[in-house]
Amino acid sequence: MKLAADVIAGLAEHLEQAQLQGHDVVKITDAHPEMDWEDAYAIQDTIRARKLARGDRVVGLKAGLTSHAKMKQMGVESPVFGFLSESFAVADGGVITHAELIHPKVEPEIAFVLKHELRGPGCHIGAVLAATDFVIPAIEVIDSRYRDFKFDLKSVVADNTSSARFVVGSSAVPAEGLDLRTAGVVMEINGEVRAIGAGAAVLGHPAASVAMLANFLAERGEAIPAGTLILTGGVTEAVAVKPGDHVQLRVQGIGSCAVRFA
Ligand code: OOG
Ligand code: MG
C-alpha cells in the first residue's frame, strides 16, 4: 500500500459522493500517481463499507473488461472486479432515471448464480459449471464517475468498476446443455439492433470470467459464496443511452431482459 489510511477514506468518500450526487470527477491517479492495486481495492472496499453502514446490501459481484471489445474501447488490458449493491438493482422491465446518472452506458452480459461456494486458487471453467445454479441475461448500466469515461485500471477499480445499475432477466436457465460460447447476444435500443456478439467474446467462455474472479478473491483469502449473482462482463462495447431509450437484451437459449431510461 502506498496511500495512508486517511487518504483512502477521503478518496472513497470523494468517489461515492460523485456517484450519489451524479457528478463527475477527475481520475484520482492524477493527484495520486503512486497509488497501487492494493490501494485501489482498499478504496473500493471502503465504498462498500460506507454503503453497508447505510443499510445497503451487497447482492452480487461483477467482472469487467473481460472482452476484447471492452478492453479496446477503454484502452486497457486486464479485467477488473467489483461489487453489486442492492440499491443498484432494477427490476426487469423497470425504469432508470437518467438524470440520477452522469453519462450512463449499457452493456449486454451473461450472469451466473451459484448453488455452491467457489474457492480458488486453481478454479477453472469445469468447477464453475459444476457450482452454477443457473445463468440469466443481464443488462449492466455502467457510469464511470470519471470525466468523459477516461480512466486507468487503478482509478476504475477504486470507482467500483463504474457499477451504477443492473437488470437481470426473469428466466433462469441451467447451464447444462447450453453452449455458452456460441450463445448469441443481441442488444436493441428503441427496436434497433445496436450490439451483437456471442458468449465466447468473454474470455473464450463466460464461465472463465467467474473462475478468474474466484482466483482473484483467493489471493485475498476470500471465496465466492453460494447464491452469489455474478455479472461476467460486457460481451460487446458499451453503448451510451439517453432519456427515453428502451433497451432490450436477448441471449440465445437463455432469455431476455429490458429496461427504460426516463
Ligand atoms: C469499467 C467497467 C467495465 C464490463 O462489463 O466490461 C464493465 C468501464 O468500462 O467503465 O463493467
Ligand atoms: Mg459490465
Side-chain angles (χ1 to χ4, degrees):
M1 304 259 300
K2 299 280 169 20
L3 303 182
D6 61 321
V7 175
I8 293 200
L11 288 170
E13 180 175 7
H14 173 65
L15 287 172
E16 206 213 1
Q17 283 306 319
Q19 178 251 306
L20 292 169
Q21 292 161 11
H23 66 74
D24 64 7
V25 296
V26 298
K27 71 174 171 10
I28 57 176
T29 45
D30 288 358
H32 302 278
E34 74 282 22
M35 191 175 127
D36 66 15
W37 287 105
E38 254 186 286
D39 293 319
Y41 278 102
I43 295 166
Q44 183 191 115
D45 290 345
T46 307
I47 293 175
R48 179 177 175 144
R50 290 175 61 89
K51 292 197 180 298
L52 294 176
R54 225 180 282 119
D56 205 346
R57 289 187 179 79
V58 173
V59 294
L61 298 172
K62 62 167 279 191
L65 307 171
T66 49
S67 67
H68 289 294
K70 282 285 313 187
M71 289 190 223
K72 186 160 169 263
Q73 180 179 31
M74 305 322 297
V76 298
E77 270 157 20
S78 70
V80 290
F81 305 103
F83 66 89
L84 300 172
S85 77
E86 185 177 39
S87 56
F88 290 171
V90 179
D92 186 13
V95 179
I96 295 171
T97 305
H98 192 283
E100 288 174 5
L101 303 171
I102 306 160
H103 40 204
K105 295 182 185 178
V106 289
E107 10 183 63
E109 304 210 10
I110 296 173
F112 284 61
V113 175
L114 301 185
K115 59 185 169 207
H116 301 304
E117 176 192 273
L118 266 180
R119 188 177 285 277
C123 185
H124 51 77
I125 292 179
V128 173
L129 291 176
T132 297
D133 199 354
F134 52 84
V135 291
I136 192 166
I139 298 169
E140 184 177 30
V141 181
I142 52 169
D143 193 36
S144 175
R145 269 53 74 168
Y146 299 119
R147 196 147 303 156
D148 303 323
F149 251 97
K150 294 244 162 34
F151 49 68
D152 49 70
L153 280 175
K154 287 172 193 149
S155 295
V156 75
V157 162
D159 184 31
N160 190 25
T161 65
S162 312
S163 178
R165 299 285 186 275
F166 64 95
V167 184
V168 293
S170 12
S171 51
V173 175
E176 289 101 75
L178 282 179
D179 184 353
L180 289 174
R181 294 167 305 170
T182 55
V185 171
V186 178
M187 187 169 71
E188 288 169 41
I189 302 183
N190 305 326
E192 191 190 324
V193 175
R194 295 291 299 277
I196 310 171
V202 173
L203 296 170
H205 191 303
S209 170
V210 180
M212 200 180 228
L213 171 64
N215 292 329
F216 162 78
L217 289 175
E219 287 170 26
R220 313 175 55 172
E222 294 169 28
I224 312 178
T228 304
L229 166 73
I230 302 147
L231 263 54
T232 55
V235 169
T236 69
E237 282 191 7
V239 182
V241 285
K242 51 184 190 331
D245 280 350
H246 179 268
V247 184
Q248 173 149 49
L249 169 66
R250 279 180 243 271
V251 183
Q252 186 180 17
I254 305 183
S256 63
C257 64
V259 70
R260 192 165 63 77
F261 286 83

